[in-house]
Amino acid sequence: MTKIAIVYHSGYGHTAKVAEHVQKGAAHAGAKVDLIAIDAEGNLPESAWATLKAADGIIFGSPTYMGMVSWQFKKFADASSKPWYTMDWKGKIAAGFTNSATLNGDKGSTIAYLALLAAQHKMLWTGTDMHPSNNKAATRDSLNNLGGYQGLLVVSPSDASVDEMIPGDLKTAEAFGANVAEIVKSVKR
Ligand SMILES: Cc1cc2nc3c(=O)[nH]c(=O)nc-3n(C[C@H](O)[C@H](O)[C@H](O)COP(=O)(O)O)c2cc1C
């Protein structure tokens, strides 16, 4: 069974919900998935580092705050210099997602940073493996209607509670999780 770890930060619960949907999709595709939350202080449970080391693929997730990952995610990234030093994550599949309030919201720089982090670890970055829904018939409920290739993009409108997140985005998160799981499976074979 392929093992995937999803390591994410969420300040107010929206990105956590995205992570749960990515997990659902990956699990549906047959992977064993561990959800690892970075806490409000930017720390992980100590055992999570072993889970990350044992994973075949790691999916990074962060809200976009001021056009970048949250400081808590960056603290995790800096702490990952320890497994970097021994190249523990080298050769693992990596992917990433972000969530923010605005349709664009400068999510691109967050995803680019996640891909850069993966490159520093000599991981193999994979995108969403999804076409964008960008024709006249597309709506916010269409699959990948935000058109992310490099990573999964989600919008949580600024006044939306976690329960009011956009169904199309959560459906896209599940499809993304399934795609990453299939890629991890094919590389592991
Ligand atoms: C400090 C801070 C900075 C933010 N910066 C951005 C931003 O640059 N672009 C954007 O679209 N939304 C921005 N937002 C909105 C959040 O990305 C949005 O509320 C998101 O759903 C929060 O996810 P969370 O509930 O997992 O923390 C910001 C929110 C906060 C608190």
Side-chain angles (χ1 to χ4, degrees):
M1 200 178 207
T2 52
K3 285 181 286 201
I4 293 179
I6 302 172
V7 58
Y8 70 94
H9 171 249
S10 178
Y12 304 93
H14 301 84
T15 312
K17 183 151 178 179
V18 180
E20 285 162 18
H21 282 264
V22 174
Q23 177 188 35
K24 191 173 165 189
H28 193 70
K32 178 187 174 296
V33 193
D34 286 297
L35 265 189
I36 301 171
I38 299 166
D39 69 21
E41 301 306 318
N43 299 319
L44 314 179
E46 200 45 47
S47 62
W49 293 102
T51 305
L52 290 166
K53 186 173 180 175
D56 302 304
I58 300 176
I59 303 176
F60 301 114
S62 174
T64 292
Y65 287 169
M66 304 313 285
M68 188 38 71
V69 294
S70 62
W71 71 258
Q72 289 91 344
F73 186 93
K74 185 59 169 65
K75 183 174 170 182
F76 154 73
D78 289 1
S80 81
S81 58
K82 209 169 167 189
W84 170 86
Y85 194 73
T86 41
M87 281 285 113
D88 287 358
W89 300 351
K90 182 178 174 175
K92 295 183 193 299
I93 296 292
F97 61 88
T98 190
N99 158 63
S100 83
T102 310
L103 278 181
N104 180 311
D106 296 319
K107 285 189 262 291
S109 50
T110 300
I111 294 292
Y113 175 70
L114 299 179
L116 173 60
L117 176 66
Q120 288 211 341
H121 281 280
K122 299 189 183 169
M123 301 172 83
L124 309 172
W125 183 263
T126 182
T128 58
D129 195 17
M130 262 184 262
H131 279 295
S133 293
N134 58 5
N135 59 11
K136 284 194 290 183
T139 71
R140 285 286 289 117
D141 278 330
S142 305
L143 207 58
N144 197 20
N145 67 84
L146 292 162
Y149 283 108
Q150 195 175 23
L152 170 69
L153 308 176
V154 171
V155 170
S156 300
S158 60
D159 53 352
S161 70
V162 170
D163 291 336
E164 293 171 322
M165 288 176 70
I166 312 290
D169 285 9
L170 298 177
K171 193 171 64 174
T172 303
E174 286 178 31
F176 166 73
N179 286 354
V180 175
E182 291 298 343
I183 289 163
V184 173
K185 222 187 297 177
S186 68
V187 168
K188 217 189 150 194
R189 208 170 279 143

